[in-house]
Amino acid sequence: MLLQIENLLSAEQVVRFQGALATAPWEDGKSTAGYQSALAKHNQQLPQTCETARTLGEEIEQALAANLLFQSAALPARIFPPLFNRYGGGHSFGLHIDNALRPLPGGGRLRTDLSATLFLSDPDNYDGGELLIEDVYGLQSVKLPAGSMILYPATSLHQVTPVTRGARTASFFWIQSHVRDDSARAILFDMDMALQRLRGEVGDDHPSLISLTGAYHNLLRRWADT
């Protein structure tokens, strides 16, 4: 399931992010790539330990916690601290799949069930830089307004096309879901969306709403990691 989340960040937040990233200490993006990914990765990235990355990452996590669409689709158990990259001057990231496990900064590992890219550059300010994702419906091309995010299975083959004008900045991170199977998450997401529509039509006490709510939670019990 590919899901676009519009305006995760407000216009005011986007302006602040862009200003902070314009003077940030960028370094070679290969420093955080696995062996195979490093062969295809040509971009810049912020060090995880720099103050800009930490501060902006915390703000993104707060926005994710408050976004009901993200919470419903991802059912997040843990979120990898957001990272930041920049593509310009022909930079690209060839076809690859994200690592199944990521070491967490404080120790332990996160299972990457979902990948997320939060676009931070206005699309009119750069050429190229599309995120191409292969899913069950074929090749999807994604280039979103600044402040909007795409959420997709981490098992997907994907790439970033060369940026031939300007610069493309984004935040990217991974989510370990309470439900690791993508098809199961998709069913639960569809049910949750149906619940929200039904609640608006019939109210909280209608038998149909109560029945569907029970079915949702029974499936969540069955599919959730324990």
Side-chain angles (χ1 to χ4, degrees):
M1 179 177 66
L2 272 70
L3 180 67
Q4 179 177 331
I5 299 177
E6 298 179 354
N7 303 316
L8 179 72
L9 300 181
S10 69
E12 183 273 334
Q13 285 177 302
V14 168
V15 171
R16 285 195 294 101
F17 274 51
Q18 290 174 343
L21 294 171
T23 57
W26 298 98
E27 64 180 17
D28 192 330
K30 293 181 186 295
S31 61
T32 58
Y35 174 75
Q36 290 294 335
S37 293
L39 299 177
K41 187 176 186 180
H42 305 282
N43 64 7
Q44 292 179 305
Q45 192 166 305
L46 285 190
Q48 290 179 260
T49 55
C50 84
E51 184 62 27
T52 299
R54 288 201 303 269
T55 300
L56 298 184
E58 289 172 0
E59 195 164 345
I60 290 171
E61 291 192 64
Q62 291 169 6
L64 293 170
N67 190 283
L68 298 181
L69 186 60
F70 169 78
Q71 294 293 322
S72 176
L75 296 170
R78 292 190 293 177
I79 298 174
F80 193 90
L83 302 172
F84 297 84
N85 58 23
R86 182 171 67 178
Y87 293 81
H91 285 158
S92 65
F93 199 159
L95 195 63
H96 66 286
I97 292 178
D98 292 333
N99 292 343
L101 299 171
R102 298 286 304 192
L104 290 163
R109 294 185 296 179
L110 177 141
R111 187 185 69 237
T112 59
D113 297 320
L114 291 157
S115 297
T117 296
L118 170 61
F119 290 77
L120 297 172
S121 295
D122 299 308
D124 291 341
N125 291 342
Y126 65 97
D127 292 334
E130 290 86 0
L131 175 61
L132 303 182
I133 305 169
E134 295 188 11
D135 75 348
V136 294
Y137 300 106
L139 188 65
Q140 309 296 318
S141 179
V142 183
K143 187 175 183 178
L144 302 181
S148 293
M149 185 179 87
I150 190 73
L151 185 69
Y152 59 99
T155 53
S156 305
L157 278 166
H158 59 284
Q159 61 182 300
V160 177
T161 64
V163 173
T164 57
R165 178 185 65 88
R168 171 204 192 265
T169 57
S171 176
F172 63 103
F173 50 93
W174 301 273
I175 300 98
Q176 179 172 319
S177 176
H178 285 294
V179 176
R180 72 172 68 194
D181 182 74
D182 182 59
S183 60
R185 282 196 310 274
I187 291 170
L188 289 167
F189 177 68
D190 289 343
M191 290 181 70
D192 193 28
M193 294 299 99
L195 278 167
Q196 293 182 36
R197 290 192 298 271
L198 186 60
R199 181 174 289 109
E201 295 170 1
V202 303
D204 290 337
D205 297 328
H206 196 278
S208 296
L209 182 70
I210 295 171
S211 177
L212 185 57
T213 300
Y216 172 89
H217 285 288
N218 283 335
L219 286 177
L220 183 56
R221 289 187 185 96
R222 181 185 303 174
W223 290 332
D225 288 342
T226 55

